[in-house]
Amino acid sequence: MTRRIVLIGHPVAHSLSGAMQQAAFDAVGIDATYELWDRTSMQIADAIAEVRGDDFLGANVTIPHKERVVPLIDRSTEDAVATGAVNTITREGRRLIGHNTDVPGFEAALDKLVGRQKMPRQAVLLGAGGGARAVVHGLIRGGFQRIVVFNRHLHRAEGLVRHFAKGAAHMELRAMPWHDSIIESELTRTKVLINATSIGLLGDVSPIPAEIIPPGLLVLDLIYKRTRFLRDAEAAGCTVMDGETMLLHQGAASFTLWTGQPAPLEVMAAALAQARAGGLRSAEGEPAGEEAATSEEAATSTAG
Ligand code: NDP
């Protein structure tokens, strides 16, 4: 029987995850197909129920549903509980287990960005959605002592801070209102700057003005293209990285969870690079096209 894995999100068309995972299954000789399911919030419960079927190995969950699926599954593993967000589902009989492989994906990206330098202790984070939760968990686990979270809707950043309060009791985790002057002031006190908003996903726009980015920061954009934010940061004299490394490593961790086998990382990296060069776009990194701009959820979350 051909096994099925689905990516559930809205939108999901032209997903790079599909190219990456299908190449991995083919390379290790597992008879499986990776399908893209574009599902709105109203359709999520039915989609999750379907994944309980015998032909499914599991699923990926992407924007904007990572937090929404948590109550629909039967058990969450440590990273999923810690973040309150699920991006990978495995199946044990008819029971569904939720995981969050964005966390190890982010940790791999951060390690690569920091390189041989000493791991910094302060970070400024833009955004407070599902991706931001994986970032905060990874930063806390990485020994960061001060993390400041800015979000358009302050209450969501405050909710994130409350969620992590227990595990962050030993350090400073703060939500702050989104004002350029406050962000500018915080950027003078930090070493790491991360964009976990979806600003830059649809258009060539940056979440913050170029003038407030000081030189010398380590800058990561979860979006995996050369966004205006990254171009501005590079021009300011920062070291920059896009979201491809995170995508690759979250995908590799998901592959291992579904199959119990080590992921063929080089095959996956090559498939990603090829898909990216070919102009394919992903629910994790870029919108699916016109439908992303017009869908009601994409319009409100902008994450697509
Ligand atoms: P969510 O929908 O959960 O969160 C979206 C975030 O973007 C929120 O903080 C939201 O703020 C903010 N935002 C959206 N539009 C605007 C706007 N116009 N102005 C200000 N803020 C805005 O999405 P995710 O957290 O899952 O994903 C966020 C980004 O990270 C996406 O671009 C996604 O592609 C990327 N990502 C990449 C991964 C990778 O492997 N490389 C993994 C995970 C995510 P508010 O709360 O105020 O609406």
Side-chain angles (χ1 to χ4, degrees), residues 11 15 25 29 49 109 114 130 174 176 178 242 253 257 265 291:
S15 170
F25 287 119
V114 171
R174 299 184 63 177
M176 285 197 185
W178 189 297
D242 71 23
L257 287 169
L265 208 58
E291 70 273 31

Side-chain angles (χ1 to χ4, degrees), residues 50-74:
E50 203 174 334
V51 173
R52 294 178 191 277
D54 284 342
D55 45 340
F56 285 88
L57 274 183
N60 270 146
V61 180
T62 188
I63 47 175
H65 301 316
K66 286 177 185 174
E67 293 159 80
R68 198 167 287 135
V69 298
V70 173
L72 300 175
I73 54 174
D74 303 297

Side-chain angles (χ1 to χ4, degrees), residues 63-64 66-67 102 127-132 151-153 156 196-199 201 222-224 243 246-247 250 283-285 301-303:
I63 47 175
K66 286 177 185 174
E67 293 159 80
D102 283 340
N151 198 52
R152 170 178 57 178
H153 295 106
R156 196 172 182 189
T197 74
S198 43
I199 303 172
L201 194 61
L222 265 51
I223 299 170
Y224 57 79
M246 179 169 171
L247 182 76
Q250 66 78 27
E284 290 294 355
S301 74
T302 323

Side-chain angles (χ1 to χ4, degrees), residues 68-91:
R68 198 167 287 135
V69 298
V70 173
L72 300 175
I73 54 174
D74 303 297
R75 181 168 67 81
S76 291
T77 53
E78 192 190 334
D79 284 347
V81 171
T83 54
V86 162
N87 82 323
T88 302
I89 296 173
T90 54
R91 200 172 58 80

